[in-house]
Amino acid sequence: MSPMPPLFSLPEARTRFTKSTREALNNKNIKPLLSTFSQLPGSENEKKCTLDQAFRGVLEEEIINHSSCENVLAIISLAIGGVTEGKYSVVFLKWKLFGGIALKIFFFFFYLIGLNLQSQFNLENVTVFNTNEQESTLGQKHTEDREEGMDVEEGEMGDDEAPTTCSIPIDYNLYRKFWSLQDYFRNPVQCYEKISWKTFLKYSEEVLAVFKSYKLDDTQASRKKMEELKTGGEHVYFAKFLTSEKLMDLQLSDSNFRRHILLQYLILFQYLKGQVKFKSSNYVLTDEQSLWIEDTTKSVYQLLSENPPDGERFSKMVEHILNTEENWNSWKNEGCPSFVKERTSDTKPTRVARKRTAPEDFLGKGPNKKILMGNEELTRLWNLCPDNMEACKSETREYMPTLEEFFEEAIEQADPENMVENEYKAVNNSNYGWRALRLLARRSPHFFQPTNQQFKSLPEYLENMVIKLAKELPPPSEEIKTGEDEDEEDNDALLKENESPDVRRDKPVTGEQIEVFASKLGEQWKILAPYLEMKDSEIRQIECDSEDMKMRAKQLLVAWQDQEGVHATPENLMNALNKSGLSDLAESLTNDNETNS
């Protein structure tokens, strides 16, 4: 039986890594760390985490002891070497080293690797291409060679494997102008010279015209992307362009290559238009140049959005990044100031003195002392009664009818001597039934009493309740009408006929009007409900009680009528309709009401 492998020990590993880090720092060589990493037992993740801790501890000691800049640079070199060898995590290098311990080292590190504070260009990055037309292979000979190389036997390739040929007519003139533009991207200040600008303008218009005229196929780009995923290949970046004439047609047919060129245009335009601190004062664009750059920028973004795959998304992302880059340029122009703003001790924020409004300013003049509430309707409601608590206790606020008043008609119809047919009884009216249930729940003790009786319908239940109430309630007193009473009734009827529609609107709505309003309201009842001061729980209850829209509208209006009592007038209903945006319906109902009246 083979012996068990040694287990990983965190204290031992940290001690050995700390010792190896010190040794590597003194020798300016990462080999002691790599040797200790390979010798220690345990998983790679365990050893990486322990090495990170040991390295951070050494760095903290160096900072506390105010070590020289040479030691700090050596630590940074070891950290970069460790990440390259895969022994440190990139998160450790970026955050633990620079963010968590010494932020100043972060800026110092970027100074060392070349932070471009003065917006200088890498003029050594020269793109070399064939500048001798006599030596060019473009033209008829290159076309014949390509055709001979593409010859295959019939049936050797399937439809999916057919070679993709470029339909862009390429000659040496296009080749020379295309690659000549790289010199302007390398050194943008040439665009401020009159002759160089004309050359750049001419070459750019021809190259962008080729991009506009010969657009790439999204299917081809998607197929290429799928092949890259199948092979597991990652995106490869080349620091230098390949300028061979034989690759020109393939490059112009490559979506990534086009993106590189279009992105170069956008970066160049941003520099030409932007305000750079170290840019010469002579580098100023003319109005004509600014107009051309503005129009061409839009064209370039359009070409990016049309370039597959995901062109629209890529174009927006580039635009967002370049916009944020302007903030970076502004920060550099200001000399990279600190983001922390300190407030001086002597300056204290001044508070604006607000004059408190005197109570008498809210009161109106005159004996009534009308209180202004800032809103016409609130002012009217507040001043209905001088004593608001007494107003709340007033009998006029009792809108709920008594059981005797409400069920008087139903009790008379339930009496067999009156010989009223079932279809004409009030209990069969759905509007009446809904109101009866609400009233019984508030005033009748029979509503919540358990019973063994089963009712198939609401009218049947109400009929039973009416019989119980008839036994309990006192019989209605009959009044003997005199001739004077009859004359008064005739006079009231005459006044009712002659009264104006505005006067009739002040009277409470009738059951017939509710029926008409409900049929008109229909599916829009839920829009009106909040403006009739219906609670969410009441709205949900109406939805649960019925699925018919007309019935829901009727239940809403009946509930509103119960809630408002004598104030449930057509005029108030019209106001609520107008406030809810149902003005057309309000106008229609107003016309119907005037016609029926």
Side-chain angles (χ1 to χ4, degrees):
M1 186 174 181
S2 59
M4 293 181 61
L7 299 176
F8 175 79
S9 174
L10 178 62
E12 180 185 357
R14 184 185 299 170
T15 303
R16 292 187 60 180
F17 275 136
T18 303
K19 182 179 179 181
S20 300
T21 303
R22 286 291 182 189
E23 184 179 353
L25 183 60
N26 296 331
N27 298 334
K28 305 295 190 294
N29 194 322
I30 199 174
K31 288 184 178 179
L33 279 173
L34 300 180
S35 176
T36 304
F37 193 94
S38 59
Q39 293 174 5
L40 282 173
S43 66
E44 187 152 331
N45 187 37
E46 290 174 334
K47 292 190 286 185
K48 274 187 179 182
C49 294
T50 309
L51 179 56
D52 289 354
Q53 295 177 10
F55 196 92
R56 183 172 58 178
V58 173
L59 180 61
E60 288 177 347
E61 293 177 7
E62 292 294 327
I63 294 175
I64 294 173
N65 297 331
H66 302 284
S67 300
S68 63
C69 181
E70 184 179 356
N71 284 356
V72 176
L73 292 177
I75 293 175
I76 294 174
S77 179
L78 288 177
I80 297 175
V83 173
T84 305
E85 294 291 337
K87 308 308 179 186
Y88 301 150
S89 63
V90 180
V91 176
F92 165 76
L93 177 63
K94 289 165 43 179
W95 172 246
K96 290 183 180 176
L97 178 59
F98 301 118
I101 301 175
L103 189 60
K104 293 182 180 179
I105 299 179
F106 177 80
F107 294 103
F108 179 67
F109 175 69
F110 275 93
Y111 271 108
L112 294 177
I113 64 174
L115 180 61
N116 191 12
L117 290 176
Q118 297 184 0
S119 301
Q120 296 176 350
F121 304 106
N122 183 15
L123 301 180
E124 298 178 0
N125 185 22
V126 179
T127 302
V128 180
F129 61 95
N130 181 20
T131 57
N132 189 351
E133 187 175 4
Q134 303 298 328
E135 300 177 358
S136 174
T137 59
L138 291 172
Q140 184 176 1
K141 181 180 178 181
H142 175 60
T143 304
E144 291 175 355
D145 292 343
R146 187 174 60 183
E147 289 177 355
E148 290 177 2
M150 299 297 291
D151 288 341
V152 293
E153 295 183 3
E154 184 177 358
E156 186 173 343
M157 282 190 177
D159 295 338
D160 295 337
E161 299 175 352
T164 56
T165 59
C166 181
S167 60
I168 303 177
I170 301 174
D171 55 8
Y172 177 77
N173 190 32
L174 176 61
Y175 169 82
R176 178 179 60 84
K177 293 178 179 178
F178 181 86
W179 290 115
S180 296
L181 288 172
Q182 291 300 318
D183 193 54
Y184 294 93
F185 298 144
R186 177 182 67 93
N187 187 16
V189 297
Q190 299 179 79
C191 295
Y192 293 106
E193 300 174 3
K194 188 174 181 180
I195 298 177
S196 299
W197 171 258
K198 288 184 178 180
T199 305
F200 172 76
L201 187 67
K202 179 181 178 183
Y203 290 1
S204 296
E205 288 179 348
E206 293 188 20
V207 170
L208 293 177
V210 171
F211 284 4
K212 291 178 183 178
S213 302
Y214 300 93
K215 297 178 180 178
L216 301 181
D217 184 11
D218 194 10
T219 306
Q220 180 180 349
S222 300
R223 183 186 305 165
K224 181 179 179 182
K225 186 175 182 181
M226 289 300 296
E227 291 175 356
E228 291 179 356
L229 293 175
K230 288 180 181 178
T231 57
E234 297 180 353
H235 178 70
V236 181
Y237 169 74
F238 297 97
K240 302 287 288 187
F241 286 115
L242 302 177
T243 58
S244 172
E245 295 176 348
K246 296 181 180 180
L247 297 175
M248 190 69 183
D249 56 347
L250 297 176
Q251 288 172 325
L252 294 180
S253 302
D254 187 356
S255 61
N256 286 331
F257 182 81
R258 286 200 181 191
R259 282 178 173 174
H260 283 301
I261 302 301
L262 294 173
L263 189 55
Q264 283 182 309
Y265 270 107
L266 295 176
I267 296 173
L268 171 66
F269 292 160
Q270 188 179 52
Y271 171 79
L272 295 177
K273 295 186 301 180
Q275 299 294 329
V276 182
K277 182 178 180 180
F278 299 97
K279 187 189 292 187
S280 174
S281 58
N282 298 327
Y283 296 155
V284 180
L285 294 173
T286 63
D287 294 340
E288 184 180 357
Q289 288 176 319
S290 300
L291 184 61
W292 184 86
I293 289 176
E294 183 178 353
D295 295 338
T296 308
T297 301
K298 296 179 182 178
S299 301
V300 171
Y301 276 120
Q302 182 64 29
L303 289 172
L304 277 175
S305 63
E306 296 173 353
N307 188 56
D310 299 329
E312 187 74 24
R313 181 185 175 197
F314 182 82
S315 176
K316 292 181 179 179
M317 187 182 301
V318 168
E319 185 176 6
H320 173 72
I321 293 174
L322 292 180
N323 288 335
T324 55
E325 184 71 12
E326 294 180 1
N327 297 329
W328 168 259
N329 292 333
S330 300
W331 181 66
K332 290 198 299 181
N333 291 339
E334 297 171 1
C336 306
S338 173
F339 292 103
V340 180
K341 294 184 179 180
E342 296 182 359
R343 190 175 66 183
T344 57
S345 57
D346 54 344
T347 58
K348 296 182 179 179
T350 58
R351 294 184 179 180
V352 180
R354 296 181 58 186
K355 184 180 178 182
R356 186 173 182 180
T357 307
E360 55 268 15
D361 292 340
F362 291 101
L363 302 178
K365 297 180 180 180
N368 294 330
K369 290 290 182 179
K370 187 176 182 181
I371 300 176
L372 304 177
M373 300 302 297
N375 179 286
E376 183 178 352
E377 185 62 19
L378 285 177
T379 301
R380 184 186 69 81
L381 292 173
W382 188 269
N383 291 276
L384 286 176
C385 181
D387 190 340
N388 285 279
M389 293 305 296
E390 289 297 327
C392 294
K393 299 176 183 178
S394 174
E395 295 181 357
T396 58
R397 294 183 57 83
E398 184 64 41
Y399 306 128
M400 190 183 304
T402 63
L403 293 174
E404 294 89 339
E405 295 173 349
F406 186 83
F407 287 100
E408 181 179 0
E409 180 183 3
I411 292 174
E412 291 180 357
Q413 294 174 350
D415 190 351
E417 295 182 359
N418 294 329
M419 302 177 63
V420 179
E421 299 180 6
N422 287 333
E423 58 180 330
Y424 299 110
K425 290 183 178 181
V427 293
N428 292 318
N429 187 312
S430 57
N431 182 10
Y432 183 88
W434 169 252
R435 296 176 61 191
L437 285 178
R438 290 174 61 89
L439 183 62
L440 288 171
R442 298 285 186 88
R443 295 191 180 277
S444 175
H446 299 290
F447 186 80
F448 294 103
Q449 287 182 353
T451 178
N452 295 327
Q453 291 180 278
Q454 294 182 354
F455 303 100
K456 297 181 179 179
S457 62
L458 177 61
E460 184 180 349
Y461 169 77
L462 290 177
E463 186 77 24
N464 180 268
M465 293 298 295
V466 167
I467 294 173
K468 289 183 178 181
L469 291 173
K471 296 177 181 179
E472 297 176 357
L473 298 177
S477 58
E478 296 186 4
E479 298 179 357
I480 302 175
K481 293 184 178 181
T482 62
E484 294 179 359
D485 295 336
E486 294 177 357
D487 293 339
E488 289 179 0
E489 290 180 359
D490 294 338
N491 293 335
D492 291 341
L494 184 61
L495 289 173
K496 187 175 181 180
E497 293 177 0
N498 296 331
E499 65 185 7
S500 63
D502 293 334
V503 176
R504 286 194 295 270
R505 289 182 191 172
D506 292 337
K507 294 186 177 181
V509 292
T510 63
E512 182 180 357
Q513 287 176 322
I514 287 181
E515 289 284 342
V516 175
F517 289 167
S519 61
K520 292 278 187 178
L521 186 60
E523 297 180 352
Q524 302 179 83
W525 70 273
K526 203 169 183 179
I527 301 175
L528 178 62
Y531 296 89
L532 295 181
E533 299 182 357
M534 289 291 138
K535 299 179 181 178
D536 293 341
S537 58
E538 295 176 325
I539 295 175
R540 289 193 296 267
Q541 184 62 41
I542 292 175
E543 290 179 326
C544 295
D545 289 342
S546 176
E547 296 182 356
D548 182 68
M549 292 301 169
K550 181 180 177 182
M551 180 59 65
R552 289 181 178 180
K554 184 186 298 184
Q555 291 177 356
L556 171 68
L557 295 175
V558 170
W560 168 73
Q561 185 184 35
D562 291 344
Q563 178 178 295
E564 296 297 323
V566 296
H567 297 287
T569 61
E571 182 179 7
N572 291 336
L573 180 59
M574 301 305 167
N575 292 336
L577 287 170
N578 289 324
K579 290 179 182 179
S580 64
L582 304 175
S583 303
D584 297 337
L585 181 59
E587 184 177 355
S588 173
L589 294 177
T590 303
N591 296 334
D592 293 346
N593 189 30
E594 292 177 356
T595 303
N596 295 334
S597 301

